[in-house]
Amino acid sequence: MAARGLSQAALSQNEGLTFMDESDSCKRISTSNSLPEEMLIPNTSETHEISTSNPKAVVSENKVIGQETSLEPFTNLPHSLTMQVESPEGSASMDTESQAENSSPDRIVEDIENAGLNDSEIPFPAEYEKFWKVVEDNPQDFTGWTYLLQYVEQENHILAARRAFDHFLSHYPYCYGYWKKYADLERRHNNLTEADEVFRQGLQAIPLSVDLWLHYINFLKETLDSNNPESDAKIKSVFEHAVLAAGTDFRSDRLWETYINWENDRGNLEEVTAIYDRILGIPTQLYSHHFQRFRDHVQNHLPKDLISPEDFINLRQELASTNEHFDNDGSPRNDLAAKIDINDPARIVSEIENMRHRIIEVRQEIYNHNENEVSRRWAFEEGVSIFKNGK
């Protein structure tokens, strides 16, 4: 079928995909697959409010719409983070004119540590006001914002960076790459709680951003304690939020693949099958690739490890009925349990292969229907891609 050929071509183009350059300008976020409001975690009743006339930037605590799934990391948010950034004019200790023009960021940090100053007393970088004045006078000057953000990153000044990023993202919340830059800056200063909060704020603004979800998940993988049993539960709940919010996007394949690989690495084969059962029914760009990987998943493992014990027993009973494996009284044999205890090795192999065939066959019907849906959407999605890329 034409769609299958197109999907294979798309796979060859998408193999080895990496995240887009975070310095890219604002991405257009597709709203063609808009989700119900309750699925677009957390709500916006208390947003990242910033007044350009007030030099204090406050990140208020996120509120989450109650969901039946009650996924942990978005229902137990950290205490609200208040980041107060005094204007250079508002404190004598921030008088930039008193700094030597050739003072390096490292020297400033060293002097601050020796003096025992707290965050609110750290002088802003010498050139900060020059860049700030440009965007303060014209908040629509995107180039001016990029110069300001590049400068605060270069100076590695956390309070100046917070003030700049908070104000910028209040004007341009859909620029996912800058949410990541902001979170990375907090992380470099070992502010993991603040970095986590920045990611949450970004995902509240653009819940359909697959890239930002993946960045956040990687952040959790790298920072959570792997020896803590609650860490896996937290990561899994974020995966679930991610696929609920962005998993129906036509180009959400990397998100699903990452979820599958994560469960595979933990040996959760039954969970992997359950994820495939979901993605095989969603029209995505690499739909045929998912089905091929599912077939490999089934062929490389025993059926009893791939599905629940109840489904395994029901499947054996179904196959036994088909093959007329009955006792003399007409009832199914008692060997239809989770473990195969038949003495004939050839029969064991035959039963396993029959079960594998049936597991794939059931999903083949779902895949065929999904292929038709992809065919109907392909031209539209390609048009959207061309429009986004400006080609």
Side-chain angles (χ1 to χ4, degrees):
M1 182 172 288
R4 184 177 304 172
L6 290 169
S7 178
Q8 293 297 332
L11 173 59
S12 64
Q13 296 173 1
N14 282 274
E15 286 181 349
L17 279 177
T18 57
F19 298 131
M20 293 181 63
D21 183 357
E22 290 83 6
S23 64
D24 289 349
S25 60
C26 301
K27 291 181 61 182
R28 293 180 179 271
I29 306 301
S30 172
T31 56
S32 60
N33 295 324
S34 298
L35 300 175
E37 182 179 353
E38 61 271 15
M39 294 175 67
L40 301 182
I41 60 94
N43 74 28
T44 56
S45 60
E46 295 187 23
T47 57
H48 194 134
E49 299 180 356
I50 300 167
S51 172
T52 56
S53 62
N54 188 344
K56 294 185 178 182
V58 180
V59 180
S60 58
E61 180 178 0
N62 289 330
K63 301 293 183 182
V64 184
I65 300 173
Q67 300 183 22
E68 293 181 1
T69 50
S70 185
L71 301 178
E72 189 270 333
F74 289 92
T75 56
N76 295 323
L77 296 177
H79 295 294
S80 60
L81 302 174
T82 302
M83 298 180 291
Q84 299 186 350
V85 184
E86 296 296 341
S87 171
E89 301 89 346
S91 171
S93 65
M94 294 183 182
D95 185 1
T96 58
E97 295 180 358
S98 64
Q99 298 184 38
E101 292 185 358
N102 60 351
S103 296
S104 69
D106 292 339
R107 177 60 183 274
I108 293 174
V109 171
E110 181 180 351
D111 292 342
I112 289 169
E113 291 175 347
N114 293 336
L117 300 179
N118 58 41
D119 283 349
S120 63
E121 298 173 319
I122 300 176
F124 273 39
E127 299 292 317
Y128 179 83
E129 276 303 302
K130 179 182 74 174
F131 291 104
W132 175 258
K133 188 69 167 59
V134 173
V135 297
E136 185 178 40
D137 292 343
N138 181 15
Q140 305 307 315
D141 184 355
F142 190 85
T143 302
W145 283 110
T146 60
Y147 287 141
L148 171 63
L149 298 177
Q150 182 179 2
Y151 175 71
V152 295
E153 281 191 279
Q154 173 186 311
E155 294 298 311
N156 200 31
H157 189 292
I158 188 60
L159 292 185
R162 285 173 178 170
R163 187 185 186 207
F165 275 99
D166 285 340
H167 283 76
F168 168 76
L169 291 168
S170 72
H171 291 288
Y172 300 97
Y174 298 140
C175 296
Y176 90 88
Y178 286 96
W179 287 106
K180 181 182 182 297
K181 281 179 175 286
Y182 190 3
D184 287 346
L185 186 61
E186 291 285 7
R187 182 180 177 183
R188 287 200 297 273
H189 285 262
N190 203 33
N191 300 327
L192 299 185
T193 300
E194 288 80 358
D196 186 276
E197 183 71 6
V198 169
F199 274 119
R200 293 168 185 265
Q201 292 280 349
L203 290 167
Q204 175 183 334
I206 41 175
L208 294 179
S209 174
V210 170
D211 294 283
L212 192 56
W213 279 112
L214 289 172
H215 285 309
Y216 181 42
I217 289 167
N218 286 335
F219 165 79
L220 293 177
K221 289 178 181 178
E222 294 168 1
T223 58
L224 291 178
D225 182 3
S226 59
N227 296 320
N228 187 339
E230 295 182 0
S231 296
D232 277 0
K234 182 171 184 177
I235 294 174
K236 183 176 178 64
S237 66
V238 174
F239 268 120
E240 281 298 316
H241 266 93
V243 296
L244 284 174
T248 57
D249 187 87
F250 191 69
R251 290 171 175 79
S252 62
D253 303 282
R254 285 184 298 126
L255 177 59
W256 289 102
E257 287 286 298
T258 304
Y259 193 4
I260 289 170
N261 292 338
W262 183 78
E263 291 286 12
N264 244 329
D265 291 342
R266 278 148 188 78
N268 301 328
L269 300 181
E270 187 179 330
E271 291 295 326
V272 171
T273 303
I275 297 172
Y276 275 121
D277 282 341
R278 297 161 70 180
I279 183 59
L280 291 178
I282 298 175
T284 65
Q285 188 177 32
L286 303 183
Y287 74 101
S288 62
H289 173 63
H290 298 310
F291 187 64
Q292 182 56 54
R293 286 201 63 190
F294 171 72
R295 291 169 61 95
D296 295 339
H297 169 65
V298 173
Q299 294 295 339
N300 293 334
H301 302 95
L302 292 174
K304 68 182 181 64
D305 297 327
L306 301 176
I307 55 181
S308 68
E310 180 181 0
D311 289 341
F312 179 76
I313 292 174
N314 290 337
L315 179 57
R316 291 198 67 202
Q317 289 176 338
E318 176 188 340
L319 293 176
S321 299
T322 302
N323 296 325
E324 297 181 350
H325 291 170
F326 293 96
D327 289 326
N328 293 333
D329 60 1
S331 61
R333 291 179 175 174
N334 293 328
D335 63 357
L336 302 178
K339 295 183 179 179
I340 301 174
D341 57 357
I342 304 173
N343 294 325
D344 186 355
R347 188 170 175 182
I348 296 175
V349 173
S350 176
E351 181 170 5
I352 290 175
E353 289 304 314
N354 287 338
M355 295 183 75
R356 284 173 172 159
H357 175 77
R358 182 56 181 160
I359 290 172
I360 294 174
E361 184 180 43
V362 171
R363 277 78 177 178
Q364 179 78 51
E365 298 174 8
I366 299 173
Y367 168 77
N368 291 341
H369 175 75
N370 193 39
E371 187 172 45
N372 293 331
E373 290 298 315
V374 172
S375 298
R376 293 168 55 187
R377 290 183 54 175
W378 196 276
F380 170 78
E381 294 292 346
E382 286 298 303
V384 170
S385 179
I386 293 173
F387 177 74
K388 283 183 178 181
N389 296 328
K391 296 180 180 179

